[in-house]
Amino acid sequence: LGPAATPAALQAAARRVAALFLALAAGAGVASYVEVAAFAAGGARLARRLRLAYLRSALRQEAAFFEAGVVGGGAALLADLDADARAVQGTVGDKLGSTLHHASTFAAGMAIALWKGWDMALVMVAVLPAVGGAAGGIAVAQARVDARGRAAYRAAGTVAGEALTHVRTVLAFNAGPAVAASYDAALA
C-alpha cells in the first residue's frame, strides 16, 4: 500500500486480510474436527474388536475359570477388560492423533522458519536437543509416578476385593478397621 495510501484503501486491505484469516480459521476448525473424529472412531473400532476377541476367548474357558472366590481369577480378568480397552481407545484415539498432529505442525513450522528466516531458525534448532531432553525427562518421571499409582490402586483394589468377597468373615472377626488400615497402607 505504501505511505500514500488512503484510509479507504487501508480499510479495504484490512477487510481482505480479515476475511482471509476468517476463512483460514474456519478451514482449520473443520480440519480439526475431522481429525479428532477420525481418530476417535478408529480408537472405538479397535477397542470394540479387542473386547470381542477377549469375550470370544473368555467364552471358551471352563466354568472354574470364573469362580468369584478365586482372587485374580477369571472374574477379575474380565473386570479389567474394560479398563484395558479404554486405555487402548485413548491411546489410539487421542494420543496417536495428537502426536501426528503436533509432529506435522512442527515439521511445517520448521520448514517455514528455515525458508523465511534461516539464521533465527538455526538458533532454534540448536536449542531443540535441550528442549527434547527436558521433555523426555518429564515424560519418564510422569510414567514412573503413573506406574506407582497404578500399582498402589491395584494393591488397594485387591484388599477391597478380598474384603468384599469375604465380608461375613470380616464382620464376624470385627476386622473392618484392620482391613481399612490395610487399604490405606496399600494406597500410601
Side-chain angles (χ1 to χ4, degrees):
L1 291 170
T6 64
L10 286 175
Q11 285 180 348
R15 280 193 203 104
R16 186 176 58 82
V17 170
L20 287 174
F21 271 106
L22 185 62
L24 181 64
V30 169
S32 294
Y33 174 77
V34 169
E35 173 191 354
V36 169
F39 278 106
R45 273 198 329 261
L46 183 61
R48 182 176 179 271
R49 286 183 13 208
L50 177 67
R51 285 183 181 111
L52 287 174
Y54 200 90
L55 180 63
R56 285 187 189 116
S57 174
L59 291 176
R60 290 188 210 118
Q61 302 300 320
E62 297 289 329
F65 181 75
F66 297 99
E67 288 183 5
V70 178
V71 175
L77 289 175
L78 288 176
D80 290 339
L81 170 65
D82 187 53
D84 293 341
R86 285 180 193 270
V88 167
Q89 183 175 354
T91 300
V92 171
D94 296 332
K95 294 177 184 166
L96 179 63
S98 292
T99 301
L100 293 176
H101 173 82
H102 293 302
S104 64
T105 301
F106 171 77
M110 284 307 298
I112 292 170
L114 287 169
W115 177 47
K116 286 292 192 178
W118 64 270
D119 48 351
M120 186 56 135
L122 288 179
V123 171
M124 289 185 342
V125 169
V127 177
L128 281 178
V131 172
I138 290 170
V140 167
Q142 184 66 40
R144 287 181 183 155
V145 168
D146 288 346
R148 280 196 301 255
R150 281 193 305 272
Y153 278 116
R154 188 177 302 118
T158 300
V159 170
E162 289 175 356
L164 290 174
T165 301
H166 307 293
V167 68
R168 289 183 181 170
T169 306
V170 171
L171 292 175
F173 288 108
N174 196 21
V179 169
S182 247
Y183 182 83
D184 290 339
L187 285 178

